[in-house]
Amino acid sequence: MSDAGLLLIISGPSGVGKTTITRAVHTRTADAVVSVSMTTRPRTSADREGVDYYFVDETAFLGMIARNELLEHAEVFGKRYGTPRKPVEERLAEGKVVILEIAVLGAAQVKAAIPDAFGVFILPPSEDELLQRLRDRKREGEEAIQRRFQEAQREIAAARSGDVYDAFIVNRDLDRAIAETLGHVEQARIARRG
């Protein structure tokens, strides 16, 4: 009998370090896999099919929604994104830790479909620190940074007011935040084995 599988949701606003934490959990957990999302956005030369995304057209995507083949889906800037249900369920049946790095709205959809999913929300040490991190990335102008910051404030409020997340981790120190996340994953797996 394999260990109990665990669906791990990791969310947090832009600039909080969630992708770095997700990668660390993936590399430091022997049987972890990162779920690959599906999208209707065009594939770029840097994209790898089945690694970065599964690329499909609008008709195929809408068909998957109609057949309930997506755990969650959303439209972002006119393109669709979603998490295919079958690969997640197959990895869970194998006892894997399946990691979904998704936004709050998608996380709520996943938790509704798989109630025992374990949700982790990564928080900044403070709003001022988050705003500074967004500026330090030097990827966008101030207007875009302010939009991201306002969206981050909305996401944090939504995460705190809902029942999707089992743990809130403040990323004040990256190594400590990674260790806390790994600790929560291990505790959740122990609980499922019991």
Side-chain angles (χ1 to χ4, degrees), residues 45-190:
S45 59
D47 288 325
R48 296 165 297 167
E49 173 72 29
V51 175
D52 299 303
Y53 287 101
Y54 297 109
F55 295 90
V56 297
D57 63 21
E58 183 88 3
T59 302
F61 198 100
L62 293 175
M64 291 188 75
I65 293 172
R67 293 185 302 275
N68 197 30
E69 293 175 359
L70 297 175
L71 283 174
E72 59 85 26
H73 59 89
E75 188 172 332
V76 181
F77 302 118
K79 305 299 179 213
R80 296 182 186 273
Y81 296 85
T83 301
R85 180 183 296 272
K86 187 178 177 191
V88 169
E89 291 176 344
E90 289 173 349
R91 299 298 86 75
L92 289 174
E94 295 168 0
K96 304 278 189 202
V97 174
V98 181
I99 306 170
L100 296 179
E101 184 186 319
I102 54 178
V104 174
L105 181 63
Q109 292 176 47
V110 171
K111 193 84 166 187
I114 302 179
D116 72 344
F118 190 85
V120 174
F121 193 87
I122 310 299
L123 290 163
S126 68
E127 287 191 353
D128 289 344
E129 176 74 17
L130 179 61
L131 184 56
Q132 192 56 51
R133 287 182 188 181
L134 290 170
R135 287 179 174 143
D136 288 348
R137 295 189 327 178
K138 299 187 186 333
R139 294 183 191 168
E140 301 167 309
E142 186 62 24
E143 187 177 319
I145 288 168
Q146 288 298 328
R147 276 197 309 272
R148 279 196 189 276
F149 182 61
Q150 289 169 359
E151 178 59 29
Q153 291 172 311
R154 283 190 292 274
E155 280 184 89
I156 291 167
R160 286 192 184 279
S161 67
D163 59 357
V164 171
Y165 298 99
D166 302 282
F168 289 85
I169 295 173
V170 177
N171 185 10
R172 184 171 286 108
D173 173 84
L174 183 60
D175 290 335
R176 183 176 292 148
I178 290 167
E180 280 185 53
T181 305
L182 289 166
H184 281 294
V185 170
E186 188 54 36
Q187 288 301 314
R189 297 193 86 186
I190 289 167

